[in-house]
Amino acid sequence: MLSDVTTPQDLDDRFRESLAALAAPSHRSDPARPVAEDSTLTGAQLLDLFDAQVTSRQLDLAGRWLRSFGEGYYTIGSAGHEGNAAVAAALRPTDPALLHYRSGAFYCVRAAQADPSAPAVPPSASAVPSGESAAETAPPSAPSVPAVPPSASAVPSRAPATETDPVARAGQPTDAAEAGHSAEAGPSGRSGAPPVPDLPETSEEEAAPGTPGEPASGPVTEGTDSPGGAGSFGGTGLPNGVGSPGAAAIDRRDGDTADAGANPEGQATVAGDQPAAVPLADSRPATVTVPAHGSGDGVGPDGIRMTGVKRPLPRAYADAARDVLRGMVASSQEPIAGGRHKVFGRADLAVVPTTSTIASHLPRAVGMGLAVERLRRLDARGEANRAGEEPEPAPWAADAIVVCSFGDASINHASATAAFNTAGWYDHTGLRIPVLFVCEDNGLGISVRSPQGWVATALRSKPGIRYFAADGADLVGTYEVAVEAAAWVRRHRRPAVLHLTTVRLMGHAGADAESAYRPAAEITADVVRDPVVATARRLVDAGLAGGPELLDRYDEIGWQVRRIAEEVLDEPKLADAAEVIAPLAPRRPVRVALAVADAGARVGGPDAVTRAEAFGGKPPELAGPLTLAQSINAALTDGLLSHPQMAVFGEDVAAKGGVYGVTKGLRDRFGAARVFDTLLDETSILGLGLGAGLAGMLPVPEIQYLAYLHNAEDQLRGEAATMRFFSQGALRNPMVVRVAGLAYQEGFGGHFHNDNSVAVLRDVPGLVIAVPARPDDAAAMLRTCLASATVDGSVCVFLEPIALYHTRDLYTDGDGEWLADYADPGAWAGGHVPVGRARVYGVGSAEDVTIITFGNGVRMSLRAASALADEGIGSRVVDLRWLAPLPVADLIREAAATGRVLVVDETRRSGGVGEGVIAALVDAGYVGAARRVAAVDSFVPLGPAARQVLVSEEAITQGARTLLAR
């Protein structure tokens, strides 16, 4: 009897009751044939997907079991969402996937697809353009995959019938751009990219998976891998598939060995039927060592009954289960985050870990789509990276699409709105972004309901994004719609959304008491729509298995998952702080310095002619002293020359050249593909950068004003800075974010254009924060940031003081002492500025006081030091240059030289940079005198009132006098 809260035992009881009620099939069908007349999914493939669904379900049960005795740390499960197994099956293992936290079945299928020992998914499964017949596109030996809408049975029960109505979907309005993308597929059945001026269309490479549908033959030796190995099912042989003929044996992880459950011929059969067709997963089983208490029917530690009948589990699914369970117990051997977080991710599976559940990964997905398409076109034109100059791009296939999944509640988040809008905005302009959004709609965001019909209405209304819908409880129907959606995105290189109706079983997480906000009848209704039960019923109706066989399969997978859970409990955890932070932000200063030197050697040598042309025949080192803005402009030009994958983008950076002229002329020099304007949304700008970096580019986005960054801080904190941390360095998103900021603008003020708040940036672990004050430092530091991003995958914020952009003088009008010459490329190595190194100016005797400052404070402090020198006071002015990491060694040395420290902090007194400087000195044992001069804890007001709250030269000189008077 179900309670008003669906517990693991409730779900298990109901599953058993449902399968027990299934009548034995009246006949046995050939698993190599499609499961229905209107479907391309074979019986063997459906059985494989059932295994993936069951593995996911048993992982959820195992997670609750681990938590019951304090050994598991994550109980948000995938129960009710197992229909996403069909979405994974409709994609290719080379399609990058950003998954939300209910993606267990998807992950299992992706692991099987990418397993080199497993037969491939039919190559036509995700390449058939909409409107073309499978016969025209499928290879002769592969099961055909027509681009037809799902059957009527796929209509979600909570959604209007028109969501999956073939006529309604086929009749969706299409714009002129879409009409122009209706070219027929080429002879190979692969469709080309949409035509773009000056960019040749490219076609997909044919996959050659051997001869799908043919069983392997030959004897199977017990305990060894064999190309024809297959597992038993119901005592007769499971049509989990057969190994591809001649497939090489591959060592198993964790010492797994093959089970002797295959028949002597190595052919997978059901009750004497014909050999199975090519499956979706590897059929070779993992080692099956059932605990002694599982040798017969019994009750597991959490009260769930297990029969313990020995059945093999496909190796890929066993490996996927081990990955997930390792994440649940925070094992340091977990393959992506190494025990730092429970995520779905593995670099070799093209599954990108996402650390947030609330849509923050959607902007990145759009950026990846943009970058994947750009890199595809560069490859088609032969303009890929020059050997030895850049890391190789991420191994996305030339025609890859990006898939990004999320829950229905997430569509209301600002990050999701930004991503949908950006994808549609670029589509409207004709720029192609091949992203498939997958909204898994269970109707709830923890306890908050999505209003009836709201999700479908909202997703249908997104301009530029094609809408598809399916019932996630109908695995076959979901597969057909997912195939159609993926093929449409792949062919047209345009965004689409797949609205997948699901249910949520066992609540949001282990501690969630659903009875507080859901009536028992509603909970029961969701259990009735259990997608795993629905798949079992489909298998029985199709004559592929009987209820008892499927229940045995469920129990055996449960025991094997439980066995793996017991094994991972003993694996080591992260043991110390150094181990935890090891992948966070590696610093290889020698390699960075070499990269800067190499860049100088290239642009000053082999690329000298190209460089001269880019600068109009007058390189900046011959142009005389430059301002800060001019120096940054020249360094960006040199960066675009020496880093072929670099792109500069943001609001107004291209046509206008930036609101302060810093990027003036860059688009004319390098073209709109490398320097381009974006829409006005900081979340989307950073998301584009995140995705581009992950796809192999070197993005340099601009945030127009520091105050605007606060709209999108989580893209830096939760997405950018965490990528290396949660992937153990396997994935990275190198990026240099240029931000115009800080105060002291004359004649153009107010809070948004004079923001002095950087505390949120300094709090982000691993983030590099550069604040150049002088033109010569700006160019050198920008080169360092570009090299650090390239070499170490660093995420850098290059904070440019607006008030110093066009400053020319230091002490008196016309002295030109704030200008600086631009370094010749041959001098870049000698003038290299390492991350975390300060610059020191000696004024007067330089023996009385050490002034530590940055940004606008450098100029003010030098002017104040000059005034103090007239009074006989010698000063050392230390320009931090880097706010993160702070140049601690330089600070300690210069502080100790005088024994008196004045910290000049143009940011606020509370949470400002000065707090960190003082703390660093105290931690290092500094015992001299120290004093701070900082801005008042206030927003920066408009006009002359700003002088009342900001640091002034007079405050600096008075602070130094007071310090010396102690």
Side-chain angles (χ1 to χ4, degrees):
M1 180 69 70
L2 284 173
S3 64
D4 59 355
V5 178
T6 309
T7 66
Q9 183 158 349
D10 288 332
L11 202 58
D12 179 70
D13 286 343
R14 183 54 184 255
F15 186 86
R16 294 175 181 283
E17 292 170 6
S18 299
L19 264 64
L22 294 176
S26 58
H27 66 287
R28 289 285 182 168
S29 298
D30 179 358
R33 297 181 61 80
V35 295
E37 290 184 2
D38 59 349
S39 174
T40 60
L41 200 66
T42 67
Q45 292 167 347
L46 185 59
L47 282 160
D48 248 350
L49 293 179
F50 176 76
D51 273 1
Q53 290 185 306
V54 170
T55 303
S56 178
R57 176 64 55 83
Q58 293 291 3
L59 283 170
D60 289 351
L61 298 178
R64 302 299 179 101
W65 173 66
L66 290 165
R67 185 64 184 140
S68 70
F69 52 92
E71 290 289 350
Y73 304 99
Y74 206 86
T75 56
I76 298 177
S78 305
H81 286 244
E82 291 92 350
N84 56 37
V87 179
L91 297 164
R92 297 178 185 167
T94 52
D95 290 332
L98 293 80
L99 306 178
H100 74 144
Y101 54 24
R102 301 193 188 278
S103 300
F106 185 110
Y107 186 76
C108 288
V109 173
R110 174 57 65 90
Q113 289 175 317
D115 188 336
S117 66
V121 175
S124 60
S126 56
V128 182
S130 178
E132 297 183 20
S133 69
E136 294 172 337
T137 58
S141 60
S144 60
V145 182
V148 296
S151 62
S153 62
V155 178
S157 62
R158 291 204 309 270
T162 54
E163 289 184 15
T164 52
D165 186 309
V167 177
R169 188 167 59 251
Q172 275 187 257
T174 56
D175 57 20
E178 179 180 334
H181 292 246
S182 58
E184 294 295 324
S188 67
R190 309 290 186 169
S191 56
V196 176
D198 301 323
L199 294 175
E201 295 187 357
T202 58
S203 60
E204 302 171 16
E205 295 295 328
E206 280 293 339
T211 310
E214 276 188 29
S217 61
V220 176
T221 302
E222 183 173 350
T224 62
D225 285 343
S226 168
S232 64
F233 186 89
T236 59
L238 168 66
N240 258 14
V242 284
S244 56
I250 293 182
D251 291 339
R252 300 181 184 280
R253 290 197 289 169
D254 306 306
D256 288 346
T257 56
D259 188 273
N263 63 35
E265 276 67 46
Q267 297 178 354
T269 60
V270 174
D273 285 337
Q274 295 299 314
V278 174
L280 297 173
D282 180 10
S283 61
R284 297 183 299 174
T287 300
V288 182
T289 307
V290 180
H293 61 273
S295 59
D297 290 348
V299 179
D302 58 358
I304 297 177
R305 290 187 300 278
M306 297 290 184
T307 65
V309 180
K310 187 172 182 179
R311 305 279 181 261
L313 177 65
R315 168 191 158 181
Y317 292 166
D319 286 348
R322 191 177 300 275
D323 291 347
V324 175
L325 288 165
R326 281 173 164 163
M328 289 181 182
V329 302
S331 166
S332 61
Q333 295 182 29
E334 191 270 333
I336 189 69
R340 292 167 183 82
H341 193 42
K342 161 62 177 67
V343 295
F344 288 110
R346 250 177 62 186
D348 61 325
L349 300 184
V351 177
V352 178
T354 62
T355 60
S356 173
T357 61
I358 311 297
S360 65
H361 58 299
L362 270 68
R364 181 199 293 276
V366 175
M368 286 187 70
L370 182 68
V372 163
E373 183 65 5
R374 177 185 180 274
L375 292 172
R376 181 182 74 86
R377 293 171 183 236
L378 286 178
D379 286 342
R381 296 170 59 175
E383 296 178 11
N385 291 351
R386 289 174 289 185
E389 295 187 7
E390 298 273 351
E392 289 297 318
W396 315 132
D399 64 342
I401 67 173
V402 180
V403 61
C404 177
S405 64
F406 49 93
D408 53 289
S410 293
I411 71 166
N412 304 303
H413 197 277
S415 295
T417 299
F420 293 140
N421 184 70
T422 302
W425 188 86
Y426 277 117
D427 186 78
H428 186 76
T429 66
L431 190 62
R432 298 311 181 208
I433 298 183
V435 177
L436 177 61
F437 298 105
V438 180
C439 178
E440 298 185 18
D441 178 8
N442 62 28
L444 289 163
I446 304 183
S447 65
V448 179
R449 298 176 185 276
S450 292
Q452 181 69 31
W454 166 248
V455 177
T457 300
L459 294 178
R460 281 179 178 277
S461 67
K462 303 298 182 187
I465 300 178
R466 182 71 175 265
Y467 179 85
F468 297 86
D471 179 4
D474 175 8
L475 198 65
V476 176
T478 295
Y479 176 76
E480 300 301 334
V481 176
V483 164
E484 183 184 3
W488 190 90
V489 174
R490 199 179 307 280
R491 179 184 184 187
H492 296 297
R493 319 303 295 169
R494 299 178 64 189
V497 60
L498 171 58
H499 180 196
L500 196 64
T501 307
T502 65
V503 294
R504 190 183 72 188
L505 305 176
M506 294 194 295
H508 175 73
D512 181 26
E514 288 189 288
S515 58
Y517 56 87
R518 298 185 76 189
E522 181 180 302
I523 296 172
T524 302
D526 272 3
V527 175
V528 169
R529 296 188 63 234
D530 185 335
V532 187
V533 172
T535 303
R537 186 176 297 116
R538 188 71 179 250
L539 288 167
V540 173
D541 291 345
L544 293 162
E549 296 170 67
L550 296 173
L551 186 55
D552 282 350
R553 188 67 177 158
Y554 171 81
D555 282 334
E556 175 53 32
I557 291 176
W559 274 118
Q560 294 187 59
V561 169
R562 182 68 57 86
R563 173 185 62 82
I564 296 170
E566 291 170 349
E567 291 173 356
V568 300
L569 280 175
D570 296 327
E571 293 183 348
K573 309 294 191 290
L574 295 171
D576 55 55
E579 190 177 3
V580 170
I581 67 173
L584 179 61
R587 298 275 178 261
R588 293 179 287 184
V590 173
R591 292 192 184 185
V592 170
L594 288 173
V596 171
D598 288 346
R602 285 196 306 273
V603 299
D607 296 341
V609 174
T610 302
R611 183 171 184 263
E613 292 174 353
F615 282 109
K618 188 175 184 180
E621 60 268 24
L622 301 180
L626 305 179
T627 64
L628 182 71
Q630 290 169 334
S631 184
I632 294 172
N633 179 278
L636 287 171
T637 301
D638 275 327
L640 286 160
L641 287 166
S642 58
H643 297 272
Q645 294 294 358
M646 177 175 160
V648 175
F649 53 90
E651 302 166 25
D652 301 305
V653 303
K656 183 178 176 64
V659 293
Y660 295 98
V662 179
T663 56
K664 186 176 180 179
L666 294 184
R667 189 182 68 169
D668 293 338
R669 296 169 188 165
F670 297 98
R674 300 190 66 192
V675 181
F676 57 91
D677 290 322
T678 64
L679 71 176
L680 195 155
D681 177 63
E682 286 69 32
T683 295
S684 297
I685 292 170
L686 293 179
L688 292 175
L690 288 169
L694 195 60
M697 294 175 61
L698 177 57
V700 183
E702 178 187 294
I703 302 297
Q704 200 165 82
Y705 289 102
L706 177 59
Y708 299 167
L709 177 64
H710 305 312
N711 302 327
E713 289 160 355
D714 188 53
Q715 290 296 301
L716 285 179
R717 183 197 66 82
E719 293 293 318
T722 61
M723 180 52 70
R724 290 193 67 99
F725 186 69
F726 290 128
S727 70
Q728 301 184 91
L731 298 170
R732 61 186 202 165
N733 37 224
M735 183 163 63
V736 180
V737 185
R738 294 182 46 252
V739 183
L742 301 177
Y744 300 100
Q745 287 194 78
E746 292 292 336
F748 186 36
H751 162 55
F752 277 104
H753 303 102
N754 280 288
D755 184 26
N756 61 352
S757 176
V758 299
V760 70
L761 295 174
R762 293 186 59 247
D763 187 53
V764 178
L767 197 68
V768 173
I769 307 174
V771 184
R774 291 187 53 84
D776 47 349
D777 278 342
M781 291 169 69
L782 183 55
R783 286 192 285 269
T784 298
C785 286
L786 293 173
S788 182
T790 301
V791 171
D792 292 329
S794 302
V795 180
C796 305
V797 174
F798 197 76
L799 181 57
E800 302 165 5
I802 298 172
L804 299 178
Y805 268 150
H806 306 298
T807 297
R808 306 177 68 86
D809 306 322
L810 175 56
Y811 299 114
T812 60
D813 291 345
D815 66 15
E817 293 201 32
W818 205 252
L819 303 173
D821 290 329
Y822 190 83
D824 180 272
W828 290 1
H832 172 58
V833 178
V835 172
R837 292 304 305 271
R839 179 173 182 173
V840 182
Y841 301 84
V843 182
S845 67
E847 296 178 351
D848 299 312
V849 63
T850 299
I851 302 175
I852 299 174
T853 187
F854 65 95
N856 292 288
V858 177
R859 183 171 182 273
M860 290 189 294
S861 294
L862 287 172
R863 289 169 62 89
S866 178
L868 291 170
D870 292 341
E871 302 174 16
I873 300 172
S875 306
R876 294 169 179 253
V877 177
V878 180
D879 178 4
L880 293 172
R881 297 197 292 197
W882 307 92
L883 302 188
L886 282 171
V888 176
D890 295 335
L891 295 182
I892 295 168
R893 183 189 66 247
E894 298 304 321
T898 64
R900 301 181 186 88
V901 171
L902 178 67
V903 179
V904 177
D905 181 5
E906 67 173 290
T907 62
R908 300 165 192 169
R909 190 168 190 83
S910 298
V913 176
E915 289 183 341
V917 172
I918 295 294
L921 292 173
V922 171
D923 288 345
Y926 174 74
V927 294
R931 182 180 176 84
R932 272 195 303 162
V933 177
V936 174
D937 289 345
S938 169
F939 299 108
V940 180
L942 185 65
R947 300 170 190 159
Q948 308 305 314
V949 298
L950 295 176
V951 172
S952 65
E953 293 174 25
E954 293 75 13
I956 297 171
T957 56
Q958 185 57 43
R961 295 187 188 106
T962 302
L963 188 62
L964 289 165
R966 288 183 177 178

